[in-house]
Amino acid sequence: MRRILTLFILCVSFWQSVANAQIIGDESLQKLQNGEVSFLEGEFIAFLDDTVSPDFVRSAFLELGYELGFEDIHSIQILIINTPADSTIERLRMHPLVSDFIQQTEKVDTLAIERALKDQGVEGSFYNQALENILNSPPTISITCEFEYSVNEAKLKEIMSTFRNVAYEIIRNIPRSVNIKAEPGSEADVMEKVEELPFVQSTALIGVIKD
């Protein structure tokens, strides 16, 4: 049996959304030791491989007879932070492993610009010229690119190595996990069985801290 690597703590005030769970820290550990933490009965969290998709996970667990709760499975997403040539952007957009490509023109916040210039003490003709220059500058274009679920960080680097003039940052790469329901009292046994699945990395109990 792979060891349970993590204890998750879920604050009662956010009880209905496991998305608000957090990895246990020093303060939570102290509460655990003081008996202020109880475990959520009938449910635990399984951490999954970084290439699984929601459809695969649902199908696999349903076939095995497990009932799922909250799912936190999202594909990797990047933000383009420079201005590549249009041909490069189009080539990236058409890549077979790109699932979604969003290109947006950022609107100029005129009021924010005016406030910033005034805060900097810009006045008179200098103010008018600076404002005109900013308003007449080329629009800022925001490009986000989402990949298929099969793409993890290693695969992303491989893909983007073919786009050497594209600078990017990863803006979403969340560890994939799912909550699995079990009969109260049987969590440990079910966790052991789930950990044997090839696409499950580890499991963890869910703790509840009472405010």
Side-chain angles (χ1 to χ4, degrees), residues 117 121-134:
L117 291 173
V122 181
E123 298 178 342
S125 60
F126 293 104
Y127 171 87
N128 294 331
Q129 186 62 53
L131 182 60
E132 182 180 352
N133 290 342
I134 294 173

Side-chain angles (χ1 to χ4, degrees), residues 11-13 31 209-211:
C11 295
V12 168
S13 57
K31 290 185 177 182
I209 299 177
K210 295 183 179 181
D211 291 335

Side-chain angles (χ1 to χ4, degrees), residues 1-4 187-189 191-193 195-196 203:
M1 171 181 175
R2 278 169 287 179
R3 302 185 69 171
I4 298 172
E187 294 89 351
D189 292 336
M191 289 168 77
E192 185 171 356
K193 293 177 181 177
E195 286 176 342
E196 294 174 355
T203 61

Side-chain angles (χ1 to χ4, degrees), residues 179-205:
N179 279 35
I180 299 174
K181 297 184 179 180
E183 288 294 326
S186 69
E187 294 89 351
D189 292 336
V190 179
M191 289 168 77
E192 185 171 356
K193 293 177 181 177
V194 167
E195 286 176 342
E196 294 174 355
L197 298 173
F199 57 89
V200 174
Q201 295 184 352
S202 62
T203 61
L205 293 171

Side-chain angles (χ1 to χ4, degrees), residues 46-207:
F47 298 96
L48 312 172
D49 287 347
D50 57 6
T51 56
V52 298
S53 68
D55 288 343
F56 168 79
V57 170
R58 293 181 198 125
S59 176
F61 280 115
L62 178 63
E63 184 177 343
L64 294 168
Y66 294 113
E67 183 181 355
L68 301 184
F70 178 78
E71 299 175 15
D72 194 10
I73 305 173
H74 304 278
S75 57
I76 198 166
Q77 188 179 71
I78 64 172
L79 172 69
I80 307 302
I81 58 176
N82 65 339
T83 310
D86 290 343
S87 59
T88 302
I89 292 298
E90 181 63 16
R91 188 162 62 91
L92 178 59
R93 186 180 71 83
M94 297 301 294
H95 194 282
L97 291 178
V98 170
S99 62
D100 196 14
F101 193 90
I102 302 173
Q103 185 169 344
Q104 295 179 318
T105 301
E106 301 289 340
K107 294 182 178 180
V108 176
D109 189 339
T110 306
L111 292 177
I113 292 173
E114 290 176 347
R115 282 197 299 269
L117 291 173
K118 290 177 180 178
D119 290 343
Q120 295 173 21
V122 181
E123 298 178 342
S125 60
F126 293 104
Y127 171 87
N128 294 331
Q129 186 62 53
L131 182 60
E132 182 180 352
N133 290 342
I134 294 173
L135 295 179
N136 291 334
S137 61
T140 301
I141 298 176
S142 171
I143 299 175
T144 56
C145 188
E146 187 172 329
F147 293 82
E148 298 288 346
Y149 287 99
S150 60
V151 176
N152 57 15
E153 191 167 348
K155 183 63 177 179
L156 173 66
K157 291 179 180 178
E158 179 185 325
I159 293 170
M160 297 308 295
S161 68
T162 65
F163 296 90
R164 295 190 178 278
N165 60 339
V166 177
Y168 69 95
E169 65 175 328
I170 298 174
I171 57 175
R172 187 179 69 197
N173 188 23
I174 305 169
R176 302 179 192 190
S177 65
V178 65
N179 279 35
I180 299 174
K181 297 184 179 180
E183 288 294 326
S186 69
E187 294 89 351
D189 292 336
V190 179
M191 289 168 77
E192 185 171 356
K193 293 177 181 177
V194 167
E195 286 176 342
E196 294 174 355
L197 298 173
F199 57 89
V200 174
Q201 295 184 352
S202 62
T203 61
L205 293 171
I206 300 172

Side-chain angles (χ1 to χ4, degrees), residues 4 6-10 15 24 32-33 35-44 184-185 187 191 204-210:
I4 298 172
T6 317
L7 170 66
F8 260 59
I9 298 299
L10 179 62
W15 157 264
I24 190 167
L32 176 63
Q33 293 170 340
E36 300 176 48
V37 175
S38 60
F39 294 106
L40 181 64
E41 292 187 352
E43 195 165 341
F44 63 91
E187 294 89 351
M191 289 168 77
L205 293 171
I206 300 172
V208 180
I209 299 177
K210 295 183 179 181

